[in-house]
Amino acid sequence: MGSRHEARERALQILFQYDIHGKPGLWLEEFWKPLKADEETKAFAERLVAGVLEKKKELDQLIGRYAVNWTIARMQIVDRNILRIGAYELLWLNDVPAKVTVNEAIELAKDFGDDEAAKFVNGILDKVLSSEQRLEVKRREASGVKREAK
């Protein structure tokens, strides 16, 4: 069974490289070779990377809206990619509960960011979750409110 936490770590590492290199290349072909990730982990990581890259412009606009006094370009590379992954999961991965997404993002920030990264990531993702109309269902699920039958 694959580890989604490991997949998120790998997705973060790949997205970090994209920010540095700007495009795929030999580095991407070589990325998985030394790792012992199973297919499920690799597939989820690649799903996250593909989704973030596809929705990057929209994600950056969304994050920028809630990152008071910060632009995406000024953010640490690690922080902005954790936020991109978290926002992508919140908005487009309906099978991942909001609590899981936010907790995983905080853990990534603790593991890969500086001392303030976890608070920064938590604050922005919390604003996204609490403010975005599209996330009403996930908000209710996160607060324990059950969906009404239609």
Side-chain angles (χ1 to χ4, degrees):
M1 181 160 120
S3 164
R4 285 197 166 187
H5 180 76
E6 180 185 352
R8 288 179 182 94
E9 287 180 353
R10 301 303 178 219
L12 175 60
Q13 292 166 334
I14 292 170
L15 290 167
F16 185 96
Q17 290 298 320
Y18 265 102
D19 262 10
I20 300 224
H21 297 290
K23 60 185 178 188
L26 182 59
W27 67 267
L28 185 56
E29 293 172 24
E30 298 293 319
F31 179 80
W32 290 105
K33 286 184 181 177
L35 303 173
K36 295 183 179 179
D38 60 35
E39 287 305 312
E40 189 177 335
T41 299
K42 187 176 176 182
F44 189 67
E46 290 174 350
R47 178 179 174 198
L48 291 173
V49 169
V52 166
L53 292 175
E54 177 187 340
K55 304 289 187 183
K56 185 177 173 186
K57 185 176 180 179
E58 185 177 346
L59 290 167
D60 286 356
Q61 289 171 345
L62 177 79
I63 293 164
R65 191 166 41 238
Y66 297 107
V68 179
N69 298 322
W70 283 94
T71 63
I72 293 292
R74 275 191 55 222
M75 290 179 191
Q76 298 287 332
I77 294 173
V78 168
D79 296 353
R80 74 174 162 238
N81 282 300
I82 293 170
L83 288 167
R84 286 170 177 159
I85 292 168
Y88 176 76
E89 280 192 35
L90 286 172
L91 292 166
W92 285 284
L93 297 187
N94 295 328
D95 62 322
V96 181
K99 284 183 182 181
V100 172
T101 296
V102 174
N103 287 340
E104 285 288 323
I106 292 167
E107 288 306 311
L108 287 173
K110 287 178 182 176
D111 292 344
F112 292 96
D114 65 20
D115 292 341
E116 296 298 312
K119 287 186 234 177
F120 181 68
V121 165
N122 184 37
I124 292 175
L125 289 180
D126 185 56
K127 286 178 188 175
V128 170
L129 181 60
S130 63
S131 302
E132 282 299 303
Q133 189 63 34
R134 299 180 277 179
L135 294 172
E136 180 62 34
V137 171
K138 282 198 175 189
R139 235 185 338 270
R140 283 195 312 253
E141 290 170 351
S143 67
V145 177
K146 298 196 187 240
R147 282 192 246 186
E148 294 178 14
K150 292 185 177 184

